[in-house]
Every structure is written in structure tokens, then in C-alpha cells.
């Protein structure tokens, strides 16, 4: 791949949302045409119309700070790098309540200093974090808006392997991109994961897709896209989405209390598979296999051991792995659970106390006035040739970017050519061009990165304040 091709790829990743913004009216016209195809009898028209119906409620999420997106390697999640010195990432989300509540992925916004969302009609809002839940990878955002379009929510429990589904989001900043595939498995438990059941598909997901909706052919959202499984860093045909039933349950808890309450007994478990069941003298793949028992935990005190199979919780019949997890997580702190256990091919019954998973507090971003900036946070140098002689194609190189410029995606090595419609050849030109600009004005900087030019918006700063991450009750977002 040539250096020019690489350069073009980099600028798309950094400025993708801007480059695609100009296509808004065209997309609106296309969506209307797609909706009209519903009654045309064309093959696949239901899927086309489903994508068109969902798009108004799908948003692009831009994160400034330490938030990032990831691709999952075989046993770990490796964050995608967005460029040297640029702490800026893209994710997706969808509106599920008209009063401004949005779902996205927790990993994409954790540690963020500022979060903004852009709607289909190119309205931009600062978003506040109501709460996050790292175990399910759910973040609940809210924007100051009302009467917003919302998605149609379906039921992930009715989703079957082989059923067609599609993802919509902003991979690498390309807004409202649609990729389709089939459900590979539902539910699926990722090895080394958090134990949360996921929907496995062969839908292509890339960095920036996280938090976007997975919907079926009837246009109902059945999942929230979370990650791709990749042993070598490339697409391997395996992607995972959180079931919408789980996502909506978590969202309700975060909206009401700002946190998710979960019980635990201190036992690490995995599903008992068809392959493993005979080794423990069982005929069916029901129950949870105990991998480890934490020291001084309720499970250890009750006598639970590694190699035990928990067949049921507060019931006589053997239960699926997911049901056992749900029973324990839903139990209140201090209560007692009756476990039906299989040990050395012999049934046992034991009682175990329930503890509460310690809350995992989300960072609190106190509201603060944004500091005064010089040149939008840019450190610039004039482009010079040999022996300091100015070149025929002058411009200003970015030495470093902070504040507004960093949030806009500028970074070391970019070259500034113009401020709005005024060409700038040196620092004096740049300072003269911005002299009359107020903090409440939007400024467009013409930037060259590699061989590609693009206007980048520096958003108004004057009346704005940094968003506050808070819980519903005490202004602090907490997670278990």
C-alpha cells in the first residue's frame, strides 16, 4: 500500500464524521426512497426499509479524553490507537427514549473528558454520563433535547441462529454505515469474558461500531454491538452484540438509581458444555461448572469447591447456566441461596450467603469553566525550506494540539492552510484571521494531512461547560 493511500486512510479515521456530514440531505432523500420500496415487492425491501426506519434514532458518538473503541483479540480486548497525541475516539449509539436517553458501549466512554453526539439531521449535543456498567459494557447517556426519534425495540430472546440481522453505526467515523449477516449463535459465552450471554453474528463490525444497534429484518433492535473477535487483528467472521433484553434492563437500573446492584457468592464458573458433561458423570449440559472459589468468600464458607457443578439455585430441576447466573446476581445482600450441587457423581445440597459486588465508581467530571486558549490550543510553526527560506506552498505545521483543537482531532504533523475562507501563510496571517473570532463562534480550519485536505470544525466554547458524569441520585455515576 502506498504512502498516499495510507495517508488517506489516516485522515478518514480522524475526520470521517466531518467528511460525511455533507451527505446529510442526500441520505435523507435516499431514506425516503428506501421507505417507498416497502410496497414495491422488491426482494429484500423489508430489510432496506428497516435500515431506513432505524437511521433517525442512530447517533454518532465522539469522545475526547481516554475513552476508546476496541477489537477483541482471542482472549483480551486491545484498544484501537487513534493517533499519536490525539485522545479522540468514535463510537455509535441509539436513542431509546424521546427525552434524550441514549445507549452506547461503556468501554467507548469510560474515562472521557467530553462526549458529544451527532444526530442524523446533523444536530450536535454535549452528552452527560448517567451511569455505566462495565460487566455488560453498557453506558447510559443523556442529552438536553426532547421529542427525539427513537428505535423500535424487539426481543433478543426470540432471535434464532440463521436469522438475518444488520448493524448500523459509525465505523471509523463513517456515519450510518450498514453491514448485514446472520445470527451464528444465541446465546454465546466468550471464553475469558465476563460471563454475560452475547449474540454471535457474522456481521462485520469495526472500531466505531460499538454501541450501535443490531436489528432484525422487521426493523426491531435486538442487540447492541459490542466487539469483534479477532485472533490476529483482522476480521474473522465473528462479532458479538449484547442482547437488547439485557441492555434495556441495565439502562432502566442506571436511569433510576445510577448503578446496577448485583449479588455474588465468590465462585468463578463456566457453562457445562456437551463435551464436558460426561467427564463429570452427567447426561445433560445443564448447570454451572465451578472453576475457582475465592478465599474467604461465602462460597468457600459454604464448602463449595473447584470441580463442583451447580445444577440449580433455589430449585429442584437442573437449570441452564444463564439462569443460575441471573438467580445469584438478582439475590439481595445477606440473603441465603440453596444450591443443588453435583460432586464426585453425587448430589449435594448446601446453603450459601450472598454478598454484594463492590460498586465500580465511574469517574466524576465536575462541571468547570473551560480554560482560556491561545490559538485554539494549537502550537504552530511556519513551514520553512532549506536555510529558513519560505517555500512556494506555505502553511503552518501543528507541533502539538490540546483543548479545542485536540477535541476536533488535530494532531502533530497536520498543516493548516486556511481559517474559514481566509488563506494563512504564516503565524501573522493566522493571528489576524482569528482576531475577531469569539469563543461562541464556530471556526472552520482547512487542514492537510498527508495528501488530503479537509475542513475541520472548532466548536464554540464560550457558553459551554464540560459535561458531568453523575448518577440519578447523588451526582456520581457508579457501577458494580
Amino acid at each position: 500500500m502506498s504512502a498516499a493511500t495510507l495517508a488517506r486512510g489516516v485522515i478518514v479515521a480522524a475526520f470521517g464524521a466531518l467528511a460525511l456530514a455533507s451527505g446529510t440531505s442526500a441520505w435523507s432523500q435516499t431514506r425516503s426512497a428506501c421507505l417507498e420500496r416497502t410496497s414495491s415487492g422488491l426482494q429484500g425491501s423489508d430489510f432496506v426499509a428497516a435500515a431506513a426506519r432505524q437511521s433517525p434514532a442512530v447517533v454518532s458518538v465522539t469522545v475526547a479524553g481516554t475513552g476508546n473503541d476496541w477489537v477483541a483479540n482471542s482472549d483480551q480486548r486491545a484498544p484501537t490507537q487513534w493517533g499519536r497525541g490525539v485522545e479522540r475516539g468514535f463510537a455509535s449509539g441509539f436513542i431509546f427514549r424521546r427525552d434524550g436517553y441514549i445507549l452506547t458501549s461503556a468501554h467507548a466512554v469510560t474515562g472521557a473528558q467530553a462526549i458529544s453526539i451527532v444526530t442524523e439531521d446533523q444536530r450536535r449535543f454535549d452528552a452527560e454520563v448517567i451511569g455505566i456498567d462495565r460487566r455488560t459494557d453498557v453506558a447510559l447517556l443523556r442529552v438536553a433535547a426532547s421529542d427525539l426519534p427513537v428505535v423500535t425495540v424487539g426481543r433478543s430472546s426470540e432471535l434464532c441462529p440463521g436469522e438475518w440481522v444488520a448493524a448500523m453505526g459509525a465505523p471509523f467515523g463513517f456515519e450510518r454505515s450498514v453491514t448485514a449477516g446472520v445470527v451464528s449463535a444465541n446465546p454465546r459465552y466468550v471464553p475469558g469474558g465476563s460471563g454475560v450471554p452475547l449474540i454471535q453474528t457474522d456481521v462485520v463490525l469495526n472500531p466505531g461500531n460499538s454501541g450501535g444497534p443490531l436489528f432484525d429484518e422487521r426493523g426491531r433492535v435486538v442487540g447492541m454491538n459490542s466487539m469483534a473477535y479477532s485472533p490476529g487483528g483482522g476480521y474473522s467472521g465473528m462479532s458479538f452484540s449484547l442482547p437488547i433484553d439485557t441492555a434495556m434492563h441495565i439502562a432502566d437500573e442506571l436511569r433510576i438509581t445510577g448503578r446496577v446492584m448485583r449479588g455474588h457468592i465468590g465462585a468463578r464458573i463456566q457453562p457445562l458444555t456437551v463435551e464436558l458433561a460426561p467427564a463429570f458423570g452427567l447426561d445433560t449440559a445443564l448447570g454451572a461448572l465451578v472453576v475457582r472459589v475465592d478465599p474467604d468468600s461465602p462460597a468457600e464458607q459454604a464448602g463449595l469447591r473447584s470441580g463442583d457443578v451447580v445444577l440449580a439455585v433455589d430449585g429442584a430441576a437442573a437449570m441452564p447456566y444463564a439462569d443460575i447466573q441471573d438467580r445469584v446476581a438478582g439475590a439481595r445482600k445477606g440473603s441465603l441461596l440453596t444450591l443443588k450441587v453435583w460432586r464426585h457423581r453425587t448430589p449435594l445440597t448446601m446453603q450459601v450467603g450472598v454478598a454484594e459486588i463492590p460498586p465500580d465508581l465511574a469517574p466524576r467530571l465536575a462541571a468547570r469553566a473551560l480554560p482560556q486558549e491561545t490559538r485554539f490550543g494549537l502550537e504552530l510553526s511556519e513551514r520553512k525550506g532549506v536555510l529558513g527560506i519560505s517555500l512556494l506552498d506555505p502553511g503552518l505545521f501543528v507541533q502539538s494540539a490540546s483543548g479545542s483543537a485536540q477535541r476536533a482531532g488535530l494532531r502533530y504533523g497536520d498543516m493548516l492552510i486556511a481559517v474559514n475562507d481566509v488563506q494563512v501563510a504564516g503565524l501573522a496571517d493566522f493571528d489576524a484571521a482569528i482576531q475577531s473570532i469569539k469563543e461562541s463562534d464556530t471556526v472552520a480550519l482547512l487542514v492537510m494531512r498527508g495528501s488530503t485536505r479537509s475542513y475541520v470544525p472548532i466548536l464554540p466554547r464560550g457558553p459551554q461547560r464540560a459535561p458531568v458524569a453523575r448518577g440519578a441520585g447523588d451526582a456520581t455515576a457508579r457501577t458494580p
Side-chain angles (χ1 to χ4, degrees):
M1 185 179 293
S2 67
T5 303
L6 284 170
R8 284 195 293 272
V10 170
I11 199 164
V12 164
F15 303 135
L18 168 69
L20 297 174
S22 60
T24 304
S25 59
W27 166 250
S28 298
Q29 295 171 6
T30 302
R31 185 165 61 86
S32 298
C34 292
L35 286 169
E36 291 174 1
R37 289 180 57 181
T38 308
S39 57
S40 67
L42 295 176
Q43 185 177 5
S45 62
D46 286 347
F47 216 31
V48 172
R53 285 195 301 269
Q54 291 293 359
S55 64
V58 179
V59 300
S60 299
V61 180
T62 302
V63 178
T66 56
N68 48 50
D69 205 347
W70 65 52
V71 175
N73 290 316
S74 58
D75 61 352
Q76 62 183 348
R77 288 175 173 180
T80 298
Q81 300 302 313
W82 293 95
R84 184 178 67 174
V86 180
E87 295 178 335
R88 184 171 183 261
F90 298 107
S92 305
F94 55 93
I95 307 166
F96 69 98
R97 283 176 57 105
R98 294 189 180 276
D99 52 352
Y101 284 97
I102 297 167
L103 277 178
T104 189
S105 292
H107 74 258
V109 300
T110 299
Q113 297 174 3
I115 303 168
S116 63
I117 68 102
V118 178
T119 60
E120 183 194 45
D121 56 3
Q122 293 302 300
R123 288 186 291 167
R124 181 182 294 270
F125 299 95
D126 289 333
E128 60 175 339
V129 182
I130 300 301
I132 63 174
D133 181 51
R134 290 185 177 89
R135 182 170 182 264
T136 55
D137 195 26
V138 171
L140 179 63
L141 309 180
R142 190 178 186 185
V143 298
S146 59
D147 199 26
L148 294 172
V150 297
V151 296
T152 301
V153 176
R155 290 185 60 84
S156 51
S157 58
E158 299 174 357
L159 202 59
C160 301
E163 187 171 345
W164 280 94
V165 288
M168 182 178 287
F172 301 108
F174 289 92
E175 301 172 4
R176 270 161 287 284
S177 297
V178 178
T179 53
V182 297
V183 176
S184 305
N186 182 32
R188 174 71 76 198
Y189 296 90
V190 178
S194 61
V196 175
L198 300 172
I199 302 167
Q200 179 189 335
T201 72
D202 66 354
V203 175
V204 177
L205 297 182
N206 286 298
N209 271 119
S210 293
L214 182 77
F215 54 88
D216 62 17
E217 289 185 276
R218 285 173 282 184
R220 303 174 304 180
V221 175
V222 292
M224 184 178 76
N225 301 318
S226 181
M227 62 181 177
Y229 190 86
S230 176
Y235 176 66
S236 300
M238 296 175 65
S239 300
F240 296 91
S241 304
L242 181 71
I244 195 62
D245 300 352
T246 302
M248 294 305 295
H249 173 72
I250 297 298
D252 286 341
E253 288 199 49
L254 292 175
R255 183 174 57 85
I256 295 170
T257 67
R259 63 178 297 183
V260 178
M261 301 286 294
R262 286 194 182 91
H264 83 105
I265 61 174
R268 310 302 173 92
I269 59 176
Q270 71 177 69
L272 185 71
T273 63
V274 174
E275 294 81 7
L276 287 171
F280 294 90
L282 292 168
D283 298 328
T284 57
L286 294 172
L289 179 58
V290 178
V291 177
R292 191 182 77 187
V293 175
D294 296 337
D296 301 321
S297 66
E300 185 186 60
Q301 295 169 9
L304 203 63
R305 303 175 188 172
S306 174
D308 288 346
V309 179
V310 178
L311 297 175
V313 179
D314 290 340
M319 301 167 60
Y321 173 79
D323 291 351
I324 292 173
Q325 278 201 315
D326 290 344
R327 287 285 184 93
V328 175
R332 292 180 178 273
K333 178 181 178 181
S335 61
L336 288 176
L337 297 176
T338 301
L339 305 184
K340 184 178 179 181
V341 177
W342 184 258
R343 177 184 295 169
H344 300 317
R345 302 174 186 256
T346 303
L348 302 173
T349 299
M350 62 179 65
Q351 285 195 323
V352 59
V354 178
E356 183 181 342
I357 296 178
D360 186 6
L361 301 180
R364 181 176 181 179
L365 303 178
R368 67 189 189 280
L370 294 172
Q372 290 291 111
E373 288 183 341
T374 302
R375 295 172 178 161
F376 312 117
L378 290 168
E379 181 183 344
L380 303 170
S381 64
E382 295 183 357
R383 184 177 182 181
K384 299 290 185 180
V386 180
L387 300 177
I389 301 174
S390 296
L391 298 175
L392 295 177
D393 186 17
L396 291 171
F397 274 119
V398 175
Q399 296 298 317
S400 67
S402 60
S404 297
Q406 185 187 48
R407 287 191 290 273
L410 273 71
R411 68 188 190 193
Y412 172 81
D414 290 341
M415 189 172 77
L416 302 187
I417 301 171
V419 177
N420 295 335
D421 54 358
V422 178
Q423 299 291 312
V424 293
L427 290 172
D429 293 343
F430 185 85
D431 290 340
I434 68 174
Q435 186 175 8
S436 60
I437 293 173
K438 302 175 182 178
E439 286 193 342
S440 58
D441 293 339
T442 296
V443 181
L445 300 182
L446 181 56
V447 178
M448 177 178 284
R449 179 173 296 173
S451 61
T452 306
R453 297 188 181 196
S454 181
Y455 269 105
V456 179
I458 303 293
L459 300 180
R461 291 169 35 85
Q464 297 181 357
R465 290 180 176 269
V468 181
R470 64 170 179 81
D474 60 359
T476 302
R478 296 169 294 180
T479 65

